Amino acid sequence: MSAILNLDGKVAVITGAASGIGRQTATLFHALGARLLLTDIDTAGLEAFAAELGGDVLTATHDVTSADAWHAVFGQAGAAFGRLDILVNNAGIMMSKPFADAGIDILRRQMAINVEGIYMGMQGALPLMRAAIATGAGTTSIVNISSVYGKVGGAQFAAYSATKGAVRGLGKAVAIELAGTGIRVNTVLPGPVATNLGANWDPPTDADGNPLTPEAALAAWTKLIPMGRLGDANDIAPLIAFLASDAADFITGSEFIADGGYTAA
């Protein structure tokens, strides 16, 4: 893999890096030689992970809904590296609620994290990415994490589906606007992945309105996946690394689904 995916010397900011897809992406980027600034709202988890990685890894406590927090993150990256080659907008939240019972606060909270956070992240990254391009080091890359529920409907995930669909449209529009500038923007749509993204769900319900345990909900999802298993963060991180690398130099405005065949069935 390292012979194909080379991130040696690249500077990357990865949000939501304390767990799940963000953590595995950071692990792979580190192995591929990237210099990292990892962010998460979970300070303790992030610091423990960075200590495990070792080496020159920077961290920042980061609420992606805060413009001031984004400003601080890019200020830290600029002071430490003077440039930015890669931004992985991974931080997100997934909330389950039957639509009839889902107040507007359910939509607004997910919109703030899943969409506004990505919007501010992409805007804030531009000056440092332009600085990287000015060094002649190749194209820079923004990778936004959406979901297959931004492509197909998810029962009891109406608000989440709305936000992840917005991520897709946002990424395409920005990619077109920046095409030819050296800044690429692509979107990854994971299928059901065994992470803690939905750890704070209200319990999904069956057709009779009875609550399902998270295990039962995941088992039901698994039956819908042609490959017969849930995804893993290890299934998604290499795709992100590819899009971040110069191997994807001619790819922008594209979407990549990794779902074990879920949306093909």
Side-chain angles (χ1 to χ4, degrees), residues 10-14 35 37 70 73-74 77-78 81-88 121-122 124-133 138-142 183:
K10 298 281 190 181
V11 175
V13 169
I14 303 173
R35 295 180 288 172
L37 171 52
W70 273 113
V73 164
F74 291 125
F81 306 115
R83 57 183 287 168
L84 180 64
D85 301 283
I86 302 161
L87 171 64
V88 180
M122 287 197 290
L126 296 183
L128 286 175
M129 288 192 158
R130 289 171 179 145
I133 292 164
T139 62
T140 60
S141 175
I142 297 172
I183 302 172

Side-chain angles (χ1 to χ4, degrees), residues 136-217:
T139 62
T140 60
S141 175
I142 297 172
V143 182
N144 297 325
I145 308 303
S146 177
S147 166
V148 292
Y149 274 1
K151 181 177 177 64
V152 299
Q156 301 188 41
F157 291 98
Y160 177 76
S161 296
T163 66
K164 290 303 187 178
V167 171
R168 295 175 59 206
L170 175 60
K172 284 181 178 292
V174 176
I176 291 170
E177 189 168 337
L178 297 178
T181 68
I183 302 172
R184 300 181 292 105
V185 183
N186 293 290
T187 305
V188 171
L189 284 69
V193 174
T195 71
N196 67 347
L197 179 63
N200 295 317
W201 290 354
D202 284 346
T205 59
D206 62 20
D208 298 321
N210 299 311
L212 294 172
T213 65
E215 293 77 15

